[in-house]
Amino acid sequence: MRNGLIYKILPVLASAIFLFSGFKAASQSLSLSSKLGSNKITLSLTKNGELQYRVTHRDKIIIADSPLGLNGDDQNFTSGLSLVHVSPIDVRREKYELKVSNFKTINHVFDTKSITFKNRSGALMIIDLVTGKEGVAFRYRFPDQDKKIRVINTESTGFQIEKNAKGWFQPYNKAGKVTPGYEDFYLNIHPGDSIRNPRNPSVGWCMPALFQVNEGKNWVLLAESATDGSFPGCHLQPDSKGGLYKIAFAEQDEKYTLPLGDNNHPASNLPWTMPWRVIIIGDQAGDILLSSLITDLAPASKLDDTSWIEPGKATWSWWSHPEDRSPETYNAFTDLAASFGFGYTLFDAGWEKANTEGGIIAKATAKGVKPMVWAYSAAYFDPEKRKMKFKELAAMGVKGVKIDFWCSDRQEVMACFQSLFEDAAKEHLLVNLHGTTVPRGWHRTWPNFMTAEAVLGTEHYFYEPRYPDLAAEQNTVLPFTRNVAGPTDYTPFALTIRKYPRLNTAVHELATAMIYTSGIINFADSKEIFDSLPVPVRHLLKDMPATWDKTESIVAEPGEQIILSRQKEGLSYIVGINGTNKVVPVELNLVKYAKGFSNFRVITEGENPLMTFKTETYPITSNWQYAFAPKGGFIIQFINE
């Protein structure tokens, strides 16, 4: 893998180093424009030395004048600021491959600039700016050298959204036994709306957060990138009067069972580089879905050898047999994985006893199936204990860990994740985080980080009475929000009717495995369901990739419909789901996507839409017309038969 190739190309304005003091407000506007995409970020200082920024796209306002600044325990950077230095503009190229992605290779060029300010006491704060085709980003940086630990009490960063916008936001649940875990519904809101009917009491809004602005002409996603052990994961404050959404730190009581201290504010010695505040901009919602800006801004891979990291599919017994932890059941799911050519099987809670009694790890490895095992976060928080446990698991033949119940965005947890990824990589272990925060570009830096939950997924047919009615809509929102942040362990393909009966069609559920991107696709449901599938569906599951060489957005309407073209080596598909209760007409020009193929197989609803499939094969013609069933879907596979 080639990661993080950064080229410095002919710095523009190389001699433009300006030293300023006592600037007039009118002359303090500083901007950076992208050469591609017409995105621009402009900084300015008020007469009181308060820092603001705005973001435009083709000269139309995306983020109106919004506050910047930090207030620390010993220095204040919220007012009384003056401009010290403007760096030359640099051009930076990020060319790399991801193990889990919509695209095999990413190759983007950015314009960058760093602007230095000082406060009344002469302390320095740098704001780094980045602009590119997919949006803009900024971060704070303290350049001084000092071993003393500094604390940020508040961050003033805000995002001013126009009042006529509409958005999709997820409530940020307050601390509890399983919260915060980013497992709430995305609500269709307007700027300034209060949180309504969350699944759990909530203290803010999650990021990523999606808005449609400019009278519907543009889409914007607010996100973070490169959060490491020097900063907590952040969300947005609940009060957004006037459409101003401001940064909030992780809450103090987000401890669950982890041994965390009382300080929930960011703390570090100097120098200190903080996470990127990312503003992804698109003319269509599909531009947001396909963006890689979050990983573009993340540190390059820290692993020299990634040949042992293989995306794939896994069987998973918990969803269909939540109370059955017997060796016989685990072994049956190993056999199921082998019969479908899946590379992995996931042994969930209780696997240790089953392994002692029935040797489930050895039986999986003997069949060529790689076992992944469930673990509890508190057992992997201490560095020395974690390293010892990883060595023990690797010696047993385990190939990956699903570590659950983090329930915290605290800085100590963000630091633990980075060490955890590194320690796991040393033992050639893959990582799946559950009960956790959203990723923030980490799957570029640590390619063995394959997927994370942080999603209201199919397990909620057990837990949430509103889930069946809202699941289809949510499934057409998550690709533009949660999945942009990183790989998503949605646990698709849940056909058996559970406590809260499913309303989505069987094809809709199957299609989610190809709509979402996850390095390990952990399939829900039982051996009986898999064995009952028609042959073409079985073949689809055997062939289905877990990562993609190329993805194109065909229809992108969050909350309504999504249709994607997906390609991997010699495989080519078109996949769609309907998020509404209405019949929706679909018309596609298949010739555009069928290069090298003579026919296509389409999988749609069978006689019993909730449980059965219909498969038909046709020669490729220019136009294919279809009617989405309510909460339905379809899968087209291009073939030569």
Side-chain angles (χ1 to χ4, degrees):
M1 269 174 44
R2 298 177 64 202
N3 276 286
L5 297 182
I6 302 176
Y7 303 96
K8 302 294 184 181
I9 305 173
L10 293 177
V12 180
L13 303 175
S15 61
I17 299 176
F18 302 102
L19 298 177
F20 294 89
S21 62
F23 251 56
K24 301 295 184 183
S27 63
Q28 293 190 29
S29 178
L30 297 165
S31 301
L32 181 66
S33 299
S34 63
K35 291 182 175 60
L36 299 173
S38 301
N39 296 314
K40 181 179 180 180
I41 182 169
T42 300
L43 270 58
S44 61
L45 283 171
T46 69
K47 63 181 180 181
N48 296 323
E50 297 167 340
L51 191 57
Q52 295 182 333
Y53 79 101
R54 69 165 52 188
V55 176
T56 58
H57 175 72
R58 298 195 184 99
D59 298 324
K60 298 292 185 180
I61 293 176
I62 300 295
I63 305 291
D65 287 342
S66 302
L68 294 171
L70 301 166
N71 184 18
D73 60 342
D74 66 338
Q75 296 287 350
N76 189 336
F77 293 91
T78 62
S79 64
L81 299 176
S82 58
L83 183 62
V84 174
H85 176 246
V86 180
S87 79
I89 297 174
D90 272 0
V91 177
R92 184 174 100 190
R93 182 180 296 276
E94 294 289 333
K95 184 177 182 181
Y96 57 98
E97 293 183 5
L98 292 174
K99 287 290 185 179
V100 187
S101 182
N102 291 316
F103 300 95
K104 181 178 180 180
T105 302
I106 295 163
N107 186 358
H108 287 156
V109 175
F110 300 94
D111 293 290
T112 71
K113 178 188 285 187
S114 297
I115 304 172
T116 304
F117 300 89
K118 67 178 180 181
N119 65 7
R120 290 189 177 99
S121 63
L124 300 179
M125 178 182 73
I126 298 174
I127 296 187
D128 297 322
L129 305 179
V130 166
T131 61
K133 182 178 180 181
E134 295 181 353
V136 307
F138 59 88
R139 69 181 180 189
Y140 302 98
R141 182 158 53 91
F142 292 131
D144 294 335
Q145 300 278 340
D146 193 335
K147 293 182 179 180
K148 178 184 175 183
I149 297 296
R150 309 299 175 88
V151 176
I152 301 299
N153 294 325
T154 58
E155 179 175 337
S156 300
T157 304
F159 307 89
Q160 181 67 58
I161 306 295
E162 65 182 40
K163 65 179 182 179
N164 295 326
K166 61 180 181 179
W168 289 96
F169 271 37
Q170 182 186 60
Y172 185 84
N173 297 160
K174 69 178 295 185
K177 288 187 176 181
V178 294
T179 54
Y182 293 76
E183 295 181 40
D184 211 325
F185 294 106
Y186 268 85
L187 307 178
N188 197 190
I189 70 167
H190 294 280
D193 284 356
S194 59
I195 298 171
R196 64 180 189 273
N197 299 321
R199 293 190 63 236
N200 299 286
S202 297
V203 293
W205 298 103
C206 297
M207 291 189 285
L210 180 69
F211 268 118
Q212 189 175 18
V213 299
N214 269 345
E215 299 178 345
K217 296 176 183 176
N218 296 112
W219 292 84
V220 58
L221 189 74
L222 310 179
E224 290 188 314
S225 178
T227 303
D228 58 20
S230 70
F231 220 79
C234 294
H235 56 278
L236 300 172
Q237 295 179 15
D239 183 359
S240 57
K241 291 179 182 177
L244 179 62
Y245 291 85
K246 301 188 75 173
I247 288 289
F249 302 142
E251 300 291 315
Q252 183 178 3
D253 57 354
E254 293 178 19
K255 296 183 180 182
Y256 194 42
T257 60
L258 300 178
L260 308 184
D262 292 330
N263 177 40
N264 64 308
H265 294 98
S268 177
N269 57 6
L270 306 185
W272 190 359
T273 300
M274 300 176 187
W276 290 103
R277 306 299 180 212
V278 184
I279 301 168
I280 303 173
I281 303 167
D283 294 326
Q284 294 87 32
D287 298 333
I288 304 295
L289 181 151
L290 298 177
S291 172
S292 64
L293 185 55
I294 292 174
T295 50
D296 292 342
L297 295 167
S301 174
K302 295 183 181 293
L303 303 182
D304 294 328
D305 176 21
T306 62
S307 61
W308 56 276
I309 301 172
E310 297 180 1
K313 296 162 288 187
T315 55
W316 177 47
S317 65
W318 181 90
W319 198 90
S320 57
H321 299 77
E323 304 301 327
D324 186 348
R325 301 173 180 180
S326 66
E328 292 76 17
T329 294
Y330 286 129
N331 289 334
F333 276 79
T334 292
D335 293 341
L336 178 62
S339 69
F340 273 82
F342 289 3
Y344 299 88
T345 189
L346 173 58
F347 299 138
D348 219 285
W351 69 270
E352 295 95 337
K353 182 179 179 181
N355 191 54
T356 300
E357 295 175 351
I360 60 175
I361 299 294
K363 289 183 178 180
T365 55
K367 289 182 175 290
V369 177
K370 300 174 183 177
M372 299 187 70
V373 298
W374 183 91
Y376 193 63
S377 61
Y380 286 77
F381 192 77
D382 179 83
E384 296 308 314
K385 292 180 180 179
R386 176 173 64 241
K387 292 174 183 177
M388 183 173 65
K389 285 181 176 292
F390 282 164
K391 287 183 181 295
E392 292 173 355
L393 292 176
M396 293 167 59
V398 171
K399 298 301 181 183
V401 287
K402 170 185 173 180
I403 306 181
D404 205 347
F405 294 111
W406 296 95
C407 306
S408 178
D409 279 13
R410 290 277 298 269
Q411 181 175 339
E412 302 98 317
V413 176
M414 301 298 105
C416 178
F417 288 158
Q418 306 308 306
S419 299
L420 186 151
F421 299 146
E422 181 177 13
D423 293 341
K426 290 177 180 177
E427 304 300 332
H428 284 196
L429 292 172
L430 307 180
V431 177
N432 175 359
L433 299 178
H434 265 236
T436 187
T437 191
V438 296
R440 290 168 167 85
W442 300 328
H443 59 297
R444 177 186 179 187
T445 310
W446 301 104
N448 60 317
F449 171 45
M450 302 303 285
T451 192
E453 189 181 28
V455 68
L456 195 70
T458 59
E459 71 176 21
H460 291 284
Y461 284 118
F462 287 94
Y463 304 125
E464 174 53 64
R466 292 179 291 170
Y467 187 72
D469 187 53
L470 296 174
E473 178 187 77
Q474 293 293 301
N475 290 346
T476 60
V477 175
L478 292 169
F480 306 95
T481 51
R482 164 64 184 88
N483 213 182
V484 183
T488 305
D489 192 14
Y490 180 81
T491 61
F493 193 61
L495 299 192
T496 299
I497 302 300
R498 310 310 298 181
K499 180 178 181 179
Y500 300 109
R502 173 173 50 85
L503 301 177
N504 298 347
T505 71
V507 182
H508 181 115
E509 294 295 320
L510 175 62
T512 59
M514 305 179 75
I515 292 288
Y516 300 123
T517 304
S518 177
I520 304 293
I521 306 174
N522 290 295
F523 282 94
D525 231 316
S526 65
K527 183 178 185 300
E528 290 74 19
I529 289 292
F530 278 87
D531 288 344
S532 71
L533 298 173
V535 171
V537 176
R538 292 172 62 89
H539 286 167
L540 174 77
L541 288 170
K542 291 179 180 180
D543 294 341
M544 184 187 300
T547 188
W548 303 97
D549 292 343
K550 182 181 178 182
T551 302
E552 182 178 335
S553 170
I554 302 174
V555 174
E557 300 174 1
E560 298 185 15
Q561 292 87 36
I562 180 172
I563 301 176
L564 300 178
S565 166
R566 297 278 220 178
Q567 296 175 13
K568 174 68 174 177
E569 297 174 349
L571 301 171
S572 183
Y573 307 89
I574 296 178
V575 188
I577 56 175
N578 181 6
T580 74
N581 293 316
K582 302 176 182 178
V583 175
V584 178
V586 175
E587 184 171 346
L588 300 174
N589 180 359
L590 298 186
V591 174
K592 178 180 178 182
Y593 306 98
K595 185 177 181 179
F597 297 96
S598 58
N599 299 300
F600 71 97
R601 178 183 296 121
V602 59
I603 301 173
T604 56
E605 284 79 16
E607 290 186 8
N608 177 3
L610 284 180
M611 294 302 297
T612 61
F613 303 88
K614 180 172 69 175
T615 63
E616 300 169 294
T617 302
Y618 301 99
I620 292 170
T621 56
S622 58
N623 288 320
W624 178 70
Q625 295 182 335
Y626 179 65
F628 261 135
K631 299 183 186 296
F634 69 86
I635 300 171
I636 289 174
Q637 183 176 13
F638 293 103
I639 57 176
N640 286 312
E641 289 184 359

